[in-house]
Amino acid sequence: LKKISNLFEELKEHPKSGTGHVEQLNIKRKNIDLPVDTLQKLSIMAVAQGKSLKNFIETVLISKANTVAVEVSENPSPSGDPWFNDPENIASVKRGMEDIKAGRCRAYSMDEIRELLGV
């Protein structure tokens, strides 16, 4: 039996390990369905690079994902309404939501609103 440290050293030197060192990654497994002709093309590309199909697909997807800039906007408007970019407006909305949760609000029907406005 080889010692665990020797196994890690071999893994570091293994040509298919990618970067040449062992990394601790947060990985999630996901099954995907691809057309047969797509898998055939990807298999040929993988062989040309000396990689397994699985490793090749993972490498391509990770590389592509790393080139995409993802921005998370706090603007809740689907149309990107700039009104929601003002922190005071967002604070007002949050206060309103807190008031609703605490029962400090009342819902009015359209008839009640018209009556209150005198229209």
Side-chain angles (χ1 to χ4, degrees):
L1 293 176
K2 294 182 179 181
K3 292 184 179 178
I4 291 177
S5 61
N6 290 345
L7 291 174
F8 279 116
E9 290 304 316
E10 285 181 20
L11 182 57
K12 287 181 191 178
E13 301 303 322
H14 194 275
K16 290 190 179 182
S17 66
T19 59
H21 64 279
V22 178
E23 294 182 28
Q24 189 71 15
L25 299 176
N26 185 10
I27 295 177
K28 180 172 178 149
R29 183 170 298 276
K30 187 70 177 175
N31 291 326
I32 60 171
D33 297 317
L34 296 172
V36 172
D37 63 326
T38 300
L39 282 173
Q40 289 171 339
K41 291 173 187 175
L42 290 170
S43 293
I44 292 168
M45 295 166 69
V47 168
Q49 291 190 14
K51 296 182 177 183
S52 70
L53 176 61
K54 179 182 180 293
N55 182 266
F56 176 76
I57 292 172
E58 289 170 347
T59 302
V60 169
L61 291 175
I62 291 168
S63 175
K64 181 64 177 174
N66 287 337
T67 64
V68 175
V70 177
E71 293 183 28
V72 178
S73 172
E74 290 190 26
N75 187 331
S77 170
S79 65
D81 187 331
W83 185 88
F84 290 98
N85 292 335
D86 184 336
E88 291 180 21
N89 294 340
I90 294 296
S92 175
V93 169
K94 288 181 179 178
R95 282 192 306 274
M97 292 169 63
E98 290 170 8
D99 287 344
I100 290 170
K101 289 178 184 174
R104 295 186 295 255
C105 293
R106 181 180 183 279
Y108 290 90
S109 68
M110 286 305 296
D111 290 337
E112 291 173 314
I113 293 171
R114 287 186 191 100
E115 186 180 321
L116 289 168
L117 295 175
V119 289

